[in-house]
Amino acid sequence: MYLLSDDQIEFVRRDILAQGIRNEGLQQDLLDHICCVVEHELAAEDDFEAFYQQRIKHFYKRELKEIEEETIALLTFKNFYVMKKIMLLSGGVLTALLVVGLTLKFMHLPGAAVMLVLGVALLNFVFLPLLFTLKIKENKTLREKAISGIATLCGMLMSIGLIFKVMHWPGANMLIITGFGALLLVFLPVYFFTGIRQAETKVNTIVSSVIILSAASLILILVRSPKASQDVYAATTESILRSEQILQTQKQQNQKWVISDTADVTGNEIYDVCQDLKKYLIECETGGAELDTAQGKYITEGSAEDYFGAESKAALNLQKVQKAIAQYNATAPSGSLKLDDLSEVQKQRLPDVLNRLIQTQIMVLQNKILQQKVQ
């Protein structure tokens, strides 16, 4: 075993200091460790300085002061490993939730919405914030920290926007467009021009940029343009208006064929409550009592649940019509059309709700004619 002289130990100490190690405790620990390694591996006939210069390179990737930076980071960031474990655990759980949720959705099985929402919630409120927190400690320059922050924000906006799109919640297009706008106009240019300036990251930067741009272009297919959305809303409103015209035609026929319908108390109640519900939903959606495509009063694809509060008049009317339909179907004469159950109608999209209310009214009127013929 080789024994270092005092001059050789002093040489090692000065070199450690010259390479940027300022912490005295770390200096002593490195000095002791390096000297032990040299004494254990250096042969008596070997050149000390040449061996030292070769062996010291095994302690770092680029420069020795990395050890001090990592030490400071670990001392000031005590929960690093705990947060890293939580991040990895949440990543595994959210991946499983999203895979199971997508599988259930494609197979039209219950539980898909819950799985997808939980997966996206874990992604946005646990995984991505922890990833950003860990990355921000590794980034040395302000530009690198800005890139990490923008990437995290874009990921959160896009993932939330996509789950809003899948769940047919309002604001999906705005979230997706905002996220992709920040990704394509802010993050990608900064990331690309920063990465290609360094030879060691040039190829990876180009490849990553191409993949990000291609994925963004493919996902944007899911986003409907404002003009296309307006056309869809106009077509949906026209369809509801046509159904309403059919209802009015059926009502006119009933006035000719039905002598008296005062005995059909339950049917009249169902018709009137459905009419009140339609009027209420149209007023909430358009601000007017009637639909008018010429003035841009369209029915959107939003959920009707937003308009059915727990104690609202609409919710009470819905409960009232459900009971009336159950009584109507139970007492309807043989051959009459059975009315559909409206118990879950508030969870559907607004156009579907309006069409189902109109269909219920038409069936009530048709049953009146059928009963008149039987009589």
Side-chain angles (χ1 to χ4, degrees):
M1 180 176 172
Y2 187 88
L3 294 176
L4 296 178
S5 65
D6 292 340
D7 291 339
Q8 289 172 330
I9 294 175
E10 181 63 20
F11 172 82
V12 175
R13 190 191 68 81
R14 287 198 304 269
D15 185 66
I16 291 173
L17 184 62
Q19 293 200 50
I21 304 299
R22 296 289 181 266
N23 186 283
E24 293 183 2
L26 184 59
Q27 288 177 12
Q28 295 299 321
D29 291 339
L30 281 174
L31 178 63
D32 180 65
H33 184 65
I34 293 172
C35 288
C36 289
V37 171
V38 173
E39 288 181 341
H40 181 73
E41 299 181 1
L42 180 64
E45 65 276 7
D46 292 340
D47 180 73
F48 165 74
E49 291 190 15
F51 177 82
Y52 170 77
Q53 294 298 337
Q54 180 183 6
R55 195 67 181 82
I56 194 67
K57 294 179 181 178
H58 295 141
F59 286 82
Y60 57 85
K61 293 181 179 180
R62 290 179 294 180
E63 50 189 356
L64 188 63
K65 68 178 182 180
E66 294 172 358
I67 298 177
E68 184 173 47
E69 293 173 355
E70 292 176 2
T71 303
I72 294 173
L74 289 174
L75 291 175
T76 57
F77 194 33
K78 298 179 180 178
N79 298 324
F80 177 87
Y81 290 109
V82 175
M83 294 178 69
K84 190 173 183 179
K85 288 181 180 179
I86 295 175
M87 182 192 73
L88 294 175
L89 178 63
S90 65
V93 173
L94 75 88
T95 301
L97 287 172
L98 292 177
V99 170
V100 174
L102 288 172
T103 303
L104 293 175
K105 187 169 183 63
F106 284 129
M107 298 181 69
H108 299 284
L109 295 175
V114 176
M115 293 288 185
L116 291 174
V117 172
L118 287 176
V120 172
L122 273 178
L123 174 66
N124 285 278
F125 302 113
V126 180
F127 182 81
L128 286 179
L130 287 177
L131 178 62
F132 170 72
T133 305
L134 296 174
K135 283 292 182 182
I136 207 73
K137 296 295 180 180
E138 299 176 2
N139 298 144
K140 297 180 176 60
T141 65
L142 181 60
R143 179 175 294 179
E144 291 177 341
K145 293 180 179 181
I147 290 175
S148 298
I150 296 171
T152 303
L153 179 61
C154 292
M156 294 176 71
L157 288 173
M158 288 186 292
S159 59
I160 294 175
L162 288 173
I163 195 63
F164 270 51
K165 188 76 174 177
V166 172
M167 300 298 295
H168 301 288
W169 291 341
N173 287 346
M174 181 186 67
L175 287 168
I176 294 176
I177 291 173
T178 303
F180 275 103
L183 177 72
L184 299 177
L185 301 179
V186 181
F187 169 77
L188 198 57
V190 175
Y191 171 77
F192 180 79
F193 290 110
T194 301
I196 62 173
R197 292 176 182 176
Q198 303 177 14
E200 63 271 17
T201 61
K202 183 176 181 179
V203 176
N204 287 338
T205 300
I206 295 175
V207 173
S208 299
S209 299
V210 171
I211 293 174
I212 292 172
L213 189 60
S214 301
S217 301
L218 291 173
I219 296 177
L220 279 174
I221 296 174
L222 296 174
V223 181
R224 186 191 296 151
S225 67
K227 178 61 169 62
S229 296
Q230 187 175 10
D231 292 341
V232 170
Y233 298 157
T236 301
T237 305
E238 289 291 345
S239 175
I240 294 173
L241 287 173
R242 284 195 296 271
S243 298
E244 189 67 29
Q245 290 175 356
I246 295 173
L247 172 63
Q248 296 304 318
T249 301
Q250 183 68 52
K251 188 175 182 180
Q252 291 175 3
Q253 290 180 352
N254 277 52
Q255 292 175 350
K256 294 180 179 179
W257 290 95
V258 178
I259 299 174
S260 174
D261 63 351
T262 54
D264 188 11
V265 177
T266 306
N268 293 337
E269 181 184 9
I270 293 172
Y271 185 94
D272 293 336
V273 175
C274 288
Q275 191 68 22
D276 291 340
L277 283 172
K278 285 192 309 179
K279 183 179 179 181
Y280 169 77
L281 293 174
I282 291 173
E283 287 180 349
C284 291
E285 182 71 5
T286 66
E290 297 181 356
L291 296 176
D292 188 353
T293 55
Q295 296 182 6
K297 293 182 178 181
Y298 301 135
I299 297 298
T300 65
E301 296 178 325
S303 174
E305 195 169 10
D306 298 334
Y307 304 130
F308 286 92
E311 300 296 330
S312 66
K313 183 180 178 181
L316 297 176
N317 278 339
L318 186 59
Q319 294 176 5
K320 183 178 180 181
V321 78
Q322 289 170 14
K323 294 179 181 179
I325 288 175
Q327 180 182 354
Y328 184 89
N329 288 334
T331 58
S334 176
S336 299
L337 299 174
K338 296 293 183 181
L339 303 185
D340 293 337
D341 181 25
L342 300 179
S343 58
E344 299 293 328
V345 74
Q346 73 274 16
K347 297 180 181 180
Q348 297 179 347
R349 295 183 308 126
L350 186 57
D352 297 332
V353 175
L354 291 173
N355 278 319
R356 290 193 63 181
L357 292 174
I358 294 173
Q359 289 171 6
T360 300
Q361 290 179 296
I362 292 174
M363 294 173 71
V364 168
L365 294 177
Q366 289 177 340
N367 280 338
K368 291 180 182 295
I369 293 181
L370 292 174
Q371 294 170 15
Q372 180 73 32
K373 291 180 179 180
V374 171
Q375 295 173 358

